[in-house]
Amino acid sequence: MRICAPAFAATIALSLGAGVAMPPPAAAQQVGPTIVVDVATGQVLQSDRAGAPWLPASLTKMMTAYVALSQVRQGRVSLNTGLTVSQRAARAAPSKMGFRPGTVLTIDNALKIIMVKSANDVSITIAEGLGGSVENFAAMMNAEARRLGMTATHFVNPNGLPATGQQTSARDMAVLARALMREFPDQSLLWRMPAIRYGNRVIRNHNHLIGRYPGADGFKTGFTCASGFNVVATATRGGRQLIVVVLGATSARGRAETAAGLFERHFASFGGTGVSLDSVANDTFSAPANIRDQACRRRGRGGPVYIESGEDLENEPVASATDPGNLSYAQMMAQPSAGRRSAGMQAIAAASGQVPSLLGPYRPTMDPVPVFIGGASSAPPPARAVPAAPALAAV
């Protein structure tokens, strides 16, 4: 039995407004660092280990997009500048588009592809076209990270594939998302597209809040076994926009449900911590966690399977009380204590082992955005190399 998302959202909002006691966060061991930020004010509404180092996976592509858009803003390139796929790009590990060496595509199409498809080969194409090499582009990424105050972040490549020394924090990812929204509001389509269309293929966004959670309008997901399922998400309600970062969930569904639950909690209340995002401290001494055993495993015959290609929500069961690895932190947090449940919550609790979902049926707000190959033959000479930053202590 699935619970209707709007009805459940309203129930939670009423429960929160009534001051219902919440169970302790410690019950949710499968979720890593989280943070909730008000976009307009930069105030932190909730955080849990937000400065802890974590593996970014494909959240890395947010900085790839930021550097590319910065190059456009500086007039070095335009969105119609063509980039050529190299042998190195074509050999990239999946997820990728599979373009052949010599294929040309514009920066505009390349950015749309990496933000929806999260294509590793196209990310390398952007890096080589704008930086001359992956290594030089990574230096450009790190320079922008330093300028933005992302003190726990270090990039080694433009796509987030596993690499020694690559790390970030929930706090830093919120800083980056806020910078993209504030500096490039005219490019918001990049992070709110529900899908792209390439030829006859329709490729849906891995951010499963878009089209399923009311008001969701961004941003980017990331996944490797070591990092778990990460998401930077944004949503707007009543003119108020929030950023939620969830790192280290153990399933794509748990990642999306957790983010949705955190949105519900903070759209229902204007309280906060009184702390600004910039003042959240990063841990620059520890090494990132590796949660491979939790995120990529097979648990029991016929049970849920979490594998390295596990970005597809449709392949996962609905979260259930008998499958705690697929039960999100925010879902548990949002449920009132047994003695003070409303009639609606009692009905939910009586459901046959199912955990209520905050995600409705998929209803995209726009048609798939077309992307295509072709464009100018090459980009202008790459940007000047940026001096390497001192390595973080954890690197």
Side-chain angles (χ1 to χ4, degrees), residues 19-395:
V20 174
M22 299 298 167
Q29 299 175 0
Q30 83 288 358
V31 175
T34 60
I35 193 168
V36 185
V37 178
D38 186 293
V39 174
T41 66
Q43 183 186 19
V44 176
L45 307 181
Q46 177 178 331
S47 68
D48 177 19
R49 297 163 288 158
W54 207 262
L55 300 172
S58 285
L59 299 186
T60 299
K61 296 179 176 81
M62 291 170 58
M63 181 57 86
T64 300
Y66 184 88
V67 171
L69 292 174
S70 296
Q71 293 285 296
V72 172
R73 180 174 57 189
Q74 294 167 23
R76 296 202 69 261
V77 292
S78 76
L79 289 173
N80 291 323
T81 297
L83 306 172
T84 303
V85 177
S86 69
Q87 291 281 356
R88 179 176 182 175
R91 290 195 301 266
S95 174
K96 63 182 182 178
M97 292 296 290
F99 293 138
R100 294 179 179 179
T103 301
V104 174
L105 66 162
T106 64
I107 293 175
D108 179 61
N109 285 308
L111 290 176
K112 289 172 180 173
I113 289 169
I114 70 167
M115 293 299 286
V116 171
K117 169 64 174 172
S118 205
N120 296 322
D121 52 351
V122 176
S123 299
I124 292 176
T125 299
I126 294 171
E128 293 179 329
L130 300 184
S133 69
V134 165
E135 293 72 23
N136 189 44
F137 190 80
M140 296 164 66
M141 296 167 72
N142 290 324
E144 294 291 1
R146 292 196 302 275
R147 187 181 62 81
L148 292 172
M150 298 169 62
T151 57
T153 298
H154 184 264
F155 297 110
V156 177
N157 59 47
N159 48 34
L161 286 171
T164 301
Q166 194 145 262
Q167 66 179 69
T168 190
S169 69
R171 178 261 185 202
D172 282 6
M173 283 292 109
V175 167
L176 178 56
R178 191 164 181 252
L180 278 161
M181 287 186 285
R182 291 164 68 88
E183 295 182 35
F184 304 104
D186 56 328
Q187 295 300 325
S188 65
L189 180 65
L190 289 175
W191 46 84
R192 60 183 173 85
M193 290 179 289
I196 56 175
R197 181 185 297 277
Y198 176 66
N200 293 325
R201 296 171 58 192
V202 172
I203 303 168
R204 280 166 54 175
N205 200 319
H206 292 316
N207 181 357
H208 299 297
L209 288 101
I210 295 178
R212 282 191 168 96
Y213 180 78
D217 49 20
F219 212 90
K220 185 74 184 75
T221 64
F223 169 74
T224 65
C225 285
S227 74
F229 293 80
N230 303 334
V231 66
V232 177
T234 59
T236 303
R237 185 176 298 175
R240 186 177 182 222
Q241 189 172 38
L242 304 181
I243 299 170
V244 166
V245 181
V246 175
L247 305 179
T250 54
S251 70
R253 183 176 295 280
R255 170 179 66 190
E257 296 282 9
T258 298
L262 291 171
F263 280 129
E264 286 298 315
R265 181 183 181 112
H266 292 286
F267 277 130
S269 170
F270 280 85
T273 63
V275 174
S276 70
L277 177 59
D278 291 340
S279 66
V280 174
N282 276 319
D283 175 0
T284 59
F285 298 98
S286 303
N290 183 327
I291 65 167
R292 173 177 292 274
D293 290 343
Q294 291 76 39
C296 293
R297 65 198 188 280
R298 296 177 180 268
R299 291 190 290 107
R301 180 174 296 179
V305 179
Y306 306 141
I307 56 175
E308 299 207 18
S309 58
E311 288 273 21
D312 188 359
L313 188 74
E314 309 303 338
N315 290 338
E316 292 185 5
V318 176
S320 71
T322 58
D323 175 19
N326 201 26
L327 182 63
S328 78
Y329 161 74
Q331 290 169 322
M332 290 186 284
M333 177 187 69
Q335 295 182 49
S337 59
R340 302 183 61 186
R341 285 177 178 160
S342 66
M345 291 303 294
Q346 290 176 17
I348 290 170
S352 58
Q354 296 288 350
V355 176
S357 174
L358 291 173
L359 305 180
Y362 182 63
R363 293 191 177 95
T365 57
M366 66 178 73
D367 292 334
V369 176
V371 297
F372 47 87
I373 60 174
S377 60
S378 63
R384 178 176 55 86
V386 179
L392 296 172
V395 174

Side-chain angles (χ1 to χ4, degrees), residues 2-15:
R2 288 291 295 273
I3 305 298
C4 173
F8 181 57
T11 302
I12 288 181
L14 290 172
S15 300

